[in-house]
Amino acid sequence: NPNRATWTALWRGINLCNAGINRIEDAGFVNVNDKNKREGELRFLRAFYYWHIVETWGGVMLRTTETSEPELTATRSSVADFYALIISDLEFAAANLPLQQEWGNEYSRASKKSALGFLARANLSRAYYSLAAGNKGEADTYFAKARDVAQELINRKAELGTDLWASPAELWDADNNKRNKEA
């Protein structure tokens, strides 16, 4: 069953991220920037996994600690709670992840660019949930946050390595696939 496989894979990832986040203080980092960079990766991934869960299954169980033994009960969390964690994780990631070029050949790792891009998307998604609930003021706040983060990406495009290709042919050119400035 593809849904079960996806659910299982996402929850495994979340559990590993929760374990890493909860244990990072004892991981032996001597440099706080290195520790924050690694925690930024974990928080980016947890936000990514939780975004897929909440967008697919809605307000299911939200956990921020490692599951180390079987649990027989689950308590639903609100979509707002999911987005509060997702946005918080992405804000931490955006503040602490390096520029993509600093990863060198490991270009597919989470970077400041990916965290900011996903933060804009998460704020936009959260805005639409508020709008659907009839809370226009809250929706406007999240729409503004999404706009501001997207504008930051645009304003910092040279530094972050983001831009639009000049033509659709360049966008779909296989040579631009692995280091695509639009993605």
Side-chain angles (χ1 to χ4, degrees):
N1 180 332
N3 281 332
R4 180 180 296 168
T6 301
W7 175 267
T8 301
L10 291 170
W11 279 105
R12 281 186 185 142
I14 287 168
N15 200 49
L16 290 171
C17 289
N18 284 337
I21 292 165
N22 294 161
R23 297 178 188 190
I24 201 156
E25 293 300 330
D26 299 324
F29 285 100
V30 293
N31 182 315
V32 70
N33 291 331
D34 288 341
K35 178 190 78 73
N36 287 343
K37 179 170 70 171
R38 297 305 178 183
E39 186 174 347
E41 285 186 284
L42 290 166
R43 288 182 182 271
F44 176 88
L45 288 170
R46 182 170 71 177
F48 178 82
Y49 298 143
Y50 267 138
W51 186 84
H52 284 285
I53 284 175
V54 74
E55 288 298 310
T56 304
W57 292 286
V60 292
M61 168 179 63
L62 180 67
R63 300 191 55 88
T64 58
T65 57
E66 177 183 9
T67 302
S68 56
E69 56 187 54
E71 295 198 17
L72 303 176
T73 60
T75 303
R76 285 190 170 274
S77 301
S78 69
V79 170
D81 288 344
F82 272 87
Y83 272 98
L85 181 66
I86 290 166
I87 290 169
S88 171
D89 278 352
L90 291 171
E91 287 172 342
F92 184 93
N96 291 285
L97 285 172
L99 298 174
Q100 187 173 11
Q101 55 268 30
E102 291 178 37
W103 287 120
N105 288 332
E106 296 178 329
Y107 57 83
S108 62
R109 294 182 85 132
S111 66
K112 190 172 293 296
K113 172 177 90 167
S114 54
L116 287 168
F118 198 28
L119 179 58
R121 182 178 188 169
N123 276 301
L124 189 61
S125 296
R126 180 62 179 91
Y128 281 109
Y129 280 105
S130 296
L131 199 58
N135 193 337
K136 185 175 178 338
E138 184 178 79
D140 287 346
T141 298
Y142 285 107
F143 281 131
K145 288 179 181 183
R147 178 204 58 218
D148 293 347
V149 174
Q151 189 63 55
E152 181 179 355
L153 276 165
I154 293 166
N155 293 345
R156 296 174 65 190
K157 68 183 183 179
E159 173 193 4
L160 296 170
T162 59
D163 206 352
L164 298 176
W165 292 107
S167 70
E170 289 174 293
L171 174 64
W172 299 108
D173 185 339
D175 290 338
N176 296 333
N177 187 31
K178 294 195 183 217
R179 294 182 188 254
N180 191 331
K181 63 184 180 177
E182 282 197 30

